[in-house]
């Protein structure tokens, strides 16, 4: 494949106004912005470099933990997008094939679009290709300035644009494909004489023109895909776009979504045919849901949830990192975390798996065998196992393993004081 990716993720993200989280680690339905970009890019490139700078340790830890094959490169101080790319020059000194550059704050881009973009670059024998799109409201994006013959001239940033240039609706998506052998020398020649005093990556367009390189734009029709996140408001808009896209996909695959306006389902969730998702359900992270299931209303799946066929997860039920086998019901008001539930299990209303020990700060597993029935308002204190066919009486606190086909019950005896109320009233 011989194509390397460079993802820019060093910027401060000032407009996000966050003290705790670098911009690219903000999340859309449980997955970071950078995660979206990397998941797409890693399938079509053979090496990925992530430029880190602001809160570099956090971003680097995230990469090391989740994308062990990707490499982080430090940019300090952060002097602009062009300066950011120049940080990989030493690593790619002897490399002479394609480099795909993207921003870590553009999570809606699709893998198929990136593939088409690279194909366009190759089939046009382009040296520099930039992705552009048309925005009715182009504010804040770099504008694509064209010559009279419609060929590219340069990209001008909002802050440097003249009133006429601000009227241009064709914008820079921040995604580039470069023939590295021809373009690598540009990065030591960029200047910072602009409104922001930064080394702009966008200046490679005009640089390429002065070197008589083949410089082209690939115009993306679906402009939603390059929507960039610079503020919390952008984050909410991108989340809504992503969700709409996901729900359409699930409905096309034969999933009923009763109310798309109040349902949120992440991109990395698989859902089987004829499953019905009821209103106000929120499903984030990576999950697998089987066929003929009923989820919601008001259900929350928090990721790493694997659910087989014909199961029910009802109102006010939260499930995290758990496996639920077929024909099992978790109907109402329950928390199921770090658990394995067998087939035909029934979980009574209000059941909680107490999976977290705050003293040791560890999480433990709850394992329920096939045909287990848990009475309402039970607390299963993990680590705990209830073996096949066992029943737990309502209101129990289960701190020991329960053998197969037994009853576990911790209820204190019910007292009845006859006429107690009558006597009080006198
Ligand atoms: C940039 C483009 C703009 C384009 C827009 C698309 C430039 C100069 N402008 O503007 O033309 O329309 O993206 O979304 O390139 N970053 C670094 N190091 C730095 C500065 C930024 O790694 O020194 C990273 C940021 O973390 C971010 C990306 O580069 O992921 C883009 O930076 P940002 O400040 O968001 O640029 P925009 O103003 O959005
Ligand atoms: Mg941006």
């Amino acid at each position: 494949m011989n194509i390397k990716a460079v993802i820019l993720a060093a910027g401060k993200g000032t407009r996000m106004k966050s003290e705790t989280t670098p911009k690219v680690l903000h999340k859309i339905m449980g997955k970071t912005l950078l995660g979206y970009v990397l998941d797409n890019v890693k399938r079509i490139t053979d090496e990925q470099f992530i430029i880190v700078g602001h809160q570099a340790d956090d971003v680097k830890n995230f990469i090391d933990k989740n994308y062990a094959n990707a490499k982080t490169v430090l940019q300090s101080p952060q002097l602009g997008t062009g300066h950011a790319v120049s940080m990989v020059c030493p690593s790619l000194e002897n490399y002479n094939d394609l480099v795909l550059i993207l921003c870590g704050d553009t999570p809606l881009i699709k893998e198929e679009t990136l593939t088409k973009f690279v194909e366009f670059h190759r089939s046009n024998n382009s040296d520099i290709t930039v992705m552009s799109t048309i925005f009715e409201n182009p504010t804040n994006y770099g504008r694509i300035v064209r010559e009279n013959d419609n060929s590219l001239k340069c990209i001008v940033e909002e802050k440097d644009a003249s009133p006429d240039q601000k009227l241009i609706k064709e914008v820079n998506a921040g995604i580039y494909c470069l023939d590295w052998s021809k373009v690598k020398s540009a990065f030591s020649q960029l200047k910072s004489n602009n409104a922001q005093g930064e080394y702009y990556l966008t200046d490679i367009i005009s640089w390429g023109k002065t070197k008589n390189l083949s410089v082209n734009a690939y115009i993306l029709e679906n402009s939603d895909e390059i929507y960039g996140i610079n503020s919390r408001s952008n984050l909410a808009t991108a989340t809504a776009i992503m969700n709409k896209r996901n729900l359409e996909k699930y409905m096309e695959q034969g999933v009923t979504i009763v109310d798309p306006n109040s349902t949120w389902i992440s991109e990395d969730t698989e859902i089987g045919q004829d499953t019905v998702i009821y209103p106000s359900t929120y499903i984030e992270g990576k999950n697998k849901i089987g066929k003929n299931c009923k989820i919601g209303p008001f259900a929350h799946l928090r990721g790493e949830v694997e659910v087989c066929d014909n199961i029910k997860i009802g109102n006010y039920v939260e499930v995290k990192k758990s496996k639920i086998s077929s024909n099992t019901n978790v109907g109402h008001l329950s928390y199921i975390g770090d658990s394995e539930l067998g087939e035909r299990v029934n979980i009574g209303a209000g059941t909680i798996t107490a999976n977290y020990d705050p003293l040791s700060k560890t999480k433990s597993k709850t394992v329920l065998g096939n045909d287990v029935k848990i009475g309402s308002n039970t607390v299963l204190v993990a680590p705990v196992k209830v073996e096949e066919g066992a029943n737990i009486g309502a209101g129990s606190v289960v701190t020991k393993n329960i053998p197969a086909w037994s009853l576990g019950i911790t209820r204190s005896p019910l007292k009845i004081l006859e006429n107690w109320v009558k006597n009080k009233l006198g």
Side-chain angles (χ1 to χ4, degrees):
M1 143 162 77
N2 241 8
I3 170 159
K4 313 267 185 219
V6 177
I7 301 172
L8 309 187
K12 185 154 188 259
T14 315
R15 291 164 276 179
M16 291 301 280
K17 302 223 171 85
S18 178
E19 282 188 357
T20 55
T21 312
K23 173 162 81 171
V24 293
L25 297 190
H26 282 266
K27 287 181 180 170
I28 292 181
M29 287 184 275
K31 180 160 151 182
T32 62
L33 306 183
L34 185 54
Y36 283 102
V37 178
L38 257 166
D39 280 347
N40 284 327
V41 159
K42 74 176 186 201
R43 291 191 282 259
I44 59 166
T45 57
D46 48 81
E47 202 173 9
Q48 301 86 34
F49 297 91
I50 295 101
I51 312 295
V52 298
H54 186 71
Q55 290 179 285
D57 288 346
D58 292 347
V59 183
K60 189 174 179 331
N61 287 343
F62 167 80
I63 297 292
D64 292 346
K65 198 169 155 212
N66 299 287
Y67 299 91
N69 294 327
K71 298 179 175 65
T72 50
V73 180
L74 184 67
Q75 181 201 15
S76 179
Q78 296 92 46
L79 302 178
T81 48
H83 178 250
V85 176
S86 74
M87 298 295 114
V88 293
C89 287
S91 311
L92 297 179
E93 208 181 327
N94 300 317
Y95 177 72
N96 286 315
D97 219 319
L98 298 188
V99 172
L100 179 65
I101 300 175
L102 306 99
C103 295
D105 66 350
T106 319
L108 300 176
I109 192 75
K110 291 183 181 165
E111 179 187 336
E112 66 207 55
T113 302
L114 293 174
T115 304
K116 279 189 202 151
F117 176 62
V118 173
E119 273 166 22
F120 173 93
H121 177 91
R122 286 206 168 103
S123 58
N124 282 278
N125 288 325
S126 192
D127 298 317
I128 298 174
T129 308
V130 58
M131 192 182 290
S132 74
T133 199
I134 310 296
F135 271 146
E136 273 317 303
N137 176 10
T139 313
N140 286 331
Y141 287 84
R143 308 296 204 283
I144 304 282
V145 182
R146 290 179 179 267
E147 305 276 11
N148 289 336
D149 67 359
N150 213 33
S151 65
L152 292 189
K153 184 176 180 193
C154 63
I155 297 174
V156 58
E157 291 304 292
E158 171 89 21
K159 287 188 175 142
D160 301 293
S162 65
D164 274 356
Q165 287 170 330
K166 281 189 182 154
L167 298 175
I168 298 172
K169 290 184 173 169
E170 187 181 6
V171 304
N172 169 25
I175 299 175
Y176 314 78
C177 190
L178 308 179
D179 187 328
W180 194 247
S181 62
K182 306 241 179 77
V183 182
K184 59 180 149 188
S185 63
F187 294 98
S188 55
Q189 295 169 32
L190 295 179
K191 305 257 170 7
S192 61
N193 50 348
N194 51 55
Q196 304 189 80
E198 289 184 357
Y199 296 91
Y200 288 165
L201 175 56
T202 46
D203 286 347
I204 52 164
I205 303 299
S206 45
W207 178 89
K209 299 284 287 189
T210 62
K211 301 285 174 202
N212 284 322
L213 297 183
S214 166
V215 183
N216 298 291
Y218 170 89
I219 305 174
L220 182 66
E221 266 181 41
N222 179 7
S223 55
D224 279 354
E225 282 188 50
I226 60 99
Y227 188 77
I229 314 295
N230 295 309
S231 65
R232 305 282 180 153
S233 167
N234 294 158
L235 185 65
T237 304
T239 307
I241 296 171
M242 170 77 74
N243 190 46
K244 190 161 187 281
R245 185 199 276 179
N246 297 347
L247 297 183
E248 287 297 334
K249 175 182 83 180
Y250 298 125
M251 288 192 278
E252 260 170 45
Q253 292 169 355
V255 175
T256 295
I257 311 243
V258 176
D259 179 20
N261 291 320
S262 70
T263 303
W264 298 84
I265 309 181
S266 64
E267 177 180 82
D268 296 330
T269 294
E270 269 178 54
I271 311 181
Q273 250 180 335
D274 293 312
T275 283
V276 181
I277 313 285
Y278 290 93
S280 296
T281 291
Y282 188 67
I283 301 178
E284 57 185 330
K286 229 181 179 158
N287 309 281
K288 203 171 168 191
I289 299 169
K291 294 182 184 169
N292 281 313
C293 295
K294 289 187 171 137
I295 313 284
F298 297 97
H300 183 190
L301 272 54
R302 281 174 43 205
E304 294 179 65
V305 172
E306 208 185 315
V307 157
C308 298
D309 300 341
N310 305 313
I311 67 97
K312 191 178 163 205
I313 293 178
N315 351 233
Y316 303 104
V317 172
E318 175 179 338
V319 188
K320 182 217 94 173
K321 211 174 179 180
S322 293
K323 235 180 136 173
I324 303 182
S325 299
S326 51
N327 299 301
T328 283
N329 285 344
V330 191
H332 340 258
L333 302 153
S334 290
Y335 171 60
I336 304 294
D338 301 291
S339 302
E340 268 178 40
L341 277 53
E343 294 179 17
R344 298 173 301 280
V345 168
N346 192 64
I347 303 284
T351 295
I352 303 294
T353 56
N355 58 335
Y356 182 60
D357 176 356
L359 295 181
S360 63
K361 294 197 169 68
T362 52
K363 295 207 171 122
S364 304
K365 271 184 91 170
T366 300
V367 180
L368 309 182
N370 292 340
D371 299 297
V372 160
K373 312 292 174 209
I374 306 288
S376 296
N377 253 9
T378 293
V379 182
L380 297 157
V381 183
V384 73
K385 237 185 199 174
V386 180
E387 289 182 13
E388 188 177 0
N391 285 15
I392 304 295
S396 297
V397 178
V398 182
T399 51
K400 288 184 197 151
N401 293 345
I402 308 294
W405 307 105
S406 318
L407 171 69
I409 188 161
T410 63
R411 198 180 305 155
S412 50
L414 173 70
K415 276 193 238 165
I416 298 179
L417 307 181
E418 275 180 23
N419 290 323
W420 185 87
V421 180
K422 211 170 168 189
N423 295 341
K424 280 267 169 199
L425 292 173

